[in-house]
Amino acid sequence: MSKLILYGNRYSGHSYKVRLALVLADISHDYAHIDLAQPRDERPEDFRAASRFGEVPVLVADGVPLCQSNAILQWLADSYGTLGGALGERQRVREWLNWETNRLGMSLPNLRVSRSFRSKGAEVEAWLEARLRDDLAVLEQELTERRYLAGDQVSIADVSLCAYLWWLSDAGLDIADWPHIQAWLARIAAQPGWQHPDELMAADIPE
């Protein structure tokens, strides 16, 4: 199988979703933490050479760099035959991955950053929160009758959408307000090998 190196950051849900997929699928890989507080031109040379967009995550497979978290998830599912959903479920998986990119993967990370790291101002936060609540309402409704987003097992769709939700409190919201999402997250957390992002993404960082 391919030799895999994942470059990510401990505070990046996009990095977490890729590493979580690797762990849940029991795919051997090396992990390199990238300090995003460093100026871009001071980051490690191997990362700069691999990262076309200067962002994390980047997965390097046998020397070939792969960028953008959801595209990496699809590559993993296609290459390793795991977490991709059954044949009849793959269109749902693709739909949810694209929805995540435009909706939840935009609203939640930006609101989290504003409320926990660098404030964008009350007006921007109000707009992001309203959008995030709309996104959570969509997801809550979907999970009223489904255990997972595409079928009866965890897929890369679930891995993608759950990533930042473990940090929902950082955005000032309580997951208990969305009980079906909360139950879905508990099912994901019960998967063998699962770890919270605060643990998984810090495990290999030297003290």
Side-chain angles (χ1 to χ4, degrees), residues 152-167:
D152 295 328
Q153 304 294 329
V154 171
S155 72
I156 54 173
D158 302 284
V159 172
S160 177
L161 268 76
C162 82
Y164 276 98
L165 286 169
W166 307 104
W167 288 315

Side-chain angles (χ1 to χ4, degrees), residues 131-186:
R131 184 180 170 99
L132 175 56
R133 286 182 177 277
D134 286 344
D135 297 341
L136 292 172
V138 169
L139 186 57
E140 177 76 2
Q141 179 60 38
E142 183 70 18
L143 292 167
T144 57
E145 297 181 356
R146 286 183 169 273
R147 289 179 55 78
Y148 300 105
L149 291 173
D152 295 328
Q153 304 294 329
V154 171
S155 72
I156 54 173
D158 302 284
V159 172
S160 177
L161 268 76
C162 82
Y164 276 98
L165 286 169
W166 307 104
W167 288 315
L168 185 63
S169 61
D170 289 352
L173 301 181
D174 186 347
I175 193 63
D177 292 339
W178 295 272
H180 291 97
I181 297 177
Q182 186 176 36
W184 167 70
L185 291 176

Side-chain angles (χ1 to χ4, degrees), residues 15 32 86 102 108 137 150 160 172 176 184:
S15 300
N102 184 53
L108 176 49
S160 177
W184 167 70

Side-chain angles (χ1 to χ4, degrees), residues 34-49 51 53-56:
I34 301 300
D35 182 1
L36 299 181
Q38 281 188 313
R40 287 176 182 257
D41 60 358
E42 295 179 13
R43 295 171 190 173
E45 183 177 353
D46 53 346
F47 167 72
R48 288 187 283 118
S51 180
F53 306 114
E55 302 172 340
V56 294

